[in-house]
Amino acid sequence: RGYPPQENYLFLGDYVDRGKRSLETICLLFAYKVKYPENFFLLRGNHESPSICRIYGFYDECKSRYSIKTWKTFCDVFNYMPACALIADKVICMHGGLSQDMMDANVDLRNKINAMQRPADIPDQGFLCDLLWSDPSENTVGFGPNDRGVSVSFGVDTVNQFLKLHDFDLIVRAHQVVEDGYEFFAQRGLVTIFSAPNYCGEFDNAASVLHIDAE
C-alpha cells in the first residue's frame, strides 16, 4: 500500500538464518527502524537468539564476511527487541504464540507485556519463551507438548478462551511455514503469516502480508 512513514509496518521476527543474505536483510530493517522509529516496528523471533542463530547460519555468515564480534553485537541488539505488540488494543501480535501465563484473569495482560524486562535472554520455558516458540495445534486441547521439544502447543479452545478473556479480535503470529503464506486457525481467531516465499529453497510456499486498516 505504501512505504513508511505513509504506512506503519510491523514485522514478526526471524530476520536471520533464512538464506545467504541475513546481514543485508537485518541491516536494511534496522536502517528503516532508525529512520522511521514511529512507523516501523520489529518484533523478536526465536532466531533472534545466540543459541539458535549460532547454529542455523547467521554466525557463519558474520564470521566469514566480517567477524565474530559482528555477530555478538547483533546478538546484543536482539536482546533488546520486543516480543509482543498490540494494534489498536484489539489485535495481539507475536512470533510464536500463546502462553499459560497469559490465561490468568487476575493478571492485566497489557501491563504484563509492557513490563517485560529488556535486554533479555530467551529462557527455556515461560512467558517470553512461549511468545517466541509456541504453536497452535488442532490436536491439542488446552496446552500440551510441542513437537519442537521447546515451549508448548495450544488448541482451538485456548485461542477462543484467550480472545474472550482479554477482549481481543485476533492473534497474529508467524513461526511456521504455511503453503499459501497465511493460514487461519480457530474460526479466524488466529492467523499465521509467513512472508518468505520458497522458504530456504526447500518449499514451494507463497508469501503473504497482512494489511490492517482503520476500519
Side-chain angles (χ1 to χ4, degrees):
R1 297 288 183 113
Y3 291 95
Q6 285 74 35
E7 294 276 358
N8 293 336
Y9 280 79
L10 172 66
F11 290 81
L12 299 176
D14 280 10
Y15 315 111
V16 299
D17 298 334
R18 291 295 175 260
K20 298 177 180 179
R21 294 288 182 265
S22 287
L23 279 165
E24 284 85 348
T25 301
I26 193 65
C27 286
L28 177 63
L29 291 169
F30 281 174
Y32 267 113
K33 179 62 181 174
V34 170
K35 187 170 178 62
Y36 303 110
E38 300 301 318
N39 308 98
F40 202 89
F41 304 95
L42 299 168
L43 295 185
R44 188 178 188 177
N46 63 302
H47 280 258
E48 279 74 58
S49 163
S51 61
I52 299 299
C53 69
R54 171 68 179 83
I55 300 169
Y56 287 94
F58 188 51
Y59 170 87
D60 292 330
E61 183 177 336
C62 290
K63 182 180 178 182
S64 63
R65 296 177 63 185
Y66 293 97
S67 66
I68 295 174
K69 184 180 180 181
T70 300
W71 175 75
K72 288 182 177 178
T73 303
F74 274 107
C75 290
D76 288 340
V77 178
F78 294 159
N79 284 340
Y80 281 89
M81 297 177 79
C84 192
L86 304 180
I87 301 173
D89 213 36
K90 279 295 189 178
V91 179
I92 185 168
C93 309
M94 74 286 283
H95 180 74
L98 299 181
S99 171
Q100 287 161 298
D101 291 353
M102 304 167 82
M103 306 303 291
D104 188 345
N106 298 316
V107 173
D108 187 319
L109 180 64
R110 291 157 178 84
N111 286 341
K112 184 179 180 69
I113 292 167
N114 290 329
M116 294 177 72
Q117 295 293 308
R118 291 182 281 160
D121 293 318
I122 301 173
D124 293 332
Q125 59 185 10
F127 185 42
L128 178 56
C129 174
D130 295 336
L131 284 174
L132 272 57
W133 278 96
S134 71
D135 294 300
S137 172
E138 296 281 1
N139 300 318
T140 299
V141 176
F143 288 90
N146 191 311
D147 291 341
R148 301 175 190 268
V150 181
S151 184
V152 295
S153 64
F154 54 92
V156 170
D157 60 325
T158 301
V159 171
N160 293 333
Q161 181 185 348
F162 172 83
L163 293 173
K164 183 177 181 180
L165 179 64
H166 297 293
D167 194 26
F168 287 119
D169 291 337
L170 180 66
I171 301 163
V172 181
R173 48 89 65 175
H175 198 38
Q176 290 174 298
V177 58
V178 286
E179 184 176 358
D180 295 324
Y182 70 96
E183 187 171 284
F184 286 105
F185 181 80
Q187 297 83 49
R188 294 189 170 223
L190 178 149
V191 64
T192 297
I193 300 292
F194 202 83
S195 59
N198 304 115
Y199 175 48
C200 290
E202 298 176 9
F203 292 82
D204 191 29
N205 66 290
S208 72
V209 174
L210 175 64
H211 184 266
I212 299 177
D213 58 29
E215 298 176 5

